[in-house]
Amino acid sequence: QRKNPFSNDDRLASKPVRTHRGDPTYGRPPEGSQTEQRGKDAHSHVGKEVEELCLIIRSTGEVGEDGHVSVTFGKLFETYVTISNKVVGILLRARKHGLVHFEGEMLWQGKDDDVIITLL
């Protein structure tokens, strides 16, 4: 519906702006909207969780010969699960940003407890 017949608000009568692939605003919420603000808040929250995960790895891990701190997934899971139940998701985000390294696509509790996670 282009116009809401139950409203006197003329803003609703305007045609919504359509974006196309290649447009820098494509797939993004309107600037200044509550949706944009919620996205920014979520991004900030995840960033803080990644920082906290790195601190936990630094405090529970051991420094290797290469100078990097490493910890097994099992030990990290046991420590971090009391803080957050999103251990694997936060690890994947940290790897995406180049903060940690581990082998494999996904880590599973029990099966991958011996996988080494290295803080870069």
Side-chain angles (χ1 to χ4, degrees):
Q1 292 180 341
R2 284 194 176 174
K3 178 151 174 62
N4 183 345
F6 303 105
S7 174
N8 292 330
D9 191 354
D10 288 334
R11 291 179 301 142
L12 298 176
S14 65
K15 186 177 179 182
V17 177
R18 296 269 178 183
T19 57
H20 303 283
R21 287 186 192 265
D23 185 346
T25 61
Y26 181 76
R28 299 201 177 267
E31 199 169 318
S33 68
Q34 287 182 338
T35 302
E36 181 189 40
Q37 187 58 46
R38 283 190 295 269
K40 287 179 179 179
D41 293 345
H43 185 76
S44 173
H45 178 73
V46 170
K48 289 176 187 172
E49 285 203 37
V50 168
E51 286 180 29
E52 186 174 14
L53 176 73
C54 291
L55 290 174
I56 296 295
I57 292 172
R58 180 171 280 128
S59 66
T60 60
E62 298 174 9
V63 179
E65 295 173 9
D66 59 357
H68 293 292
V69 178
S70 298
V71 66
T72 63
F73 176 65
K75 185 174 181 181
L76 178 64
F77 188 90
E78 291 300 319
T79 305
Y80 195 77
V81 79
T82 59
I83 299 167
S84 173
N85 61 351
K86 301 177 282 264
V87 179
V88 176
I90 299 300
L91 270 172
L92 292 173
R93 179 65 65 111
R95 178 169 67 178
K96 179 181 177 183
H97 290 288
L99 300 173
V100 297
H101 172 74
F102 56 89
E103 295 296 324
E105 286 291 314
M106 182 66 79
L107 296 172
W108 304 96
Q109 182 187 11
K111 179 183 144 200
D112 294 321
D113 284 351
D114 295 328
V115 171
I116 303 292
I117 298 168
T118 305
L119 184 64
L120 302 174

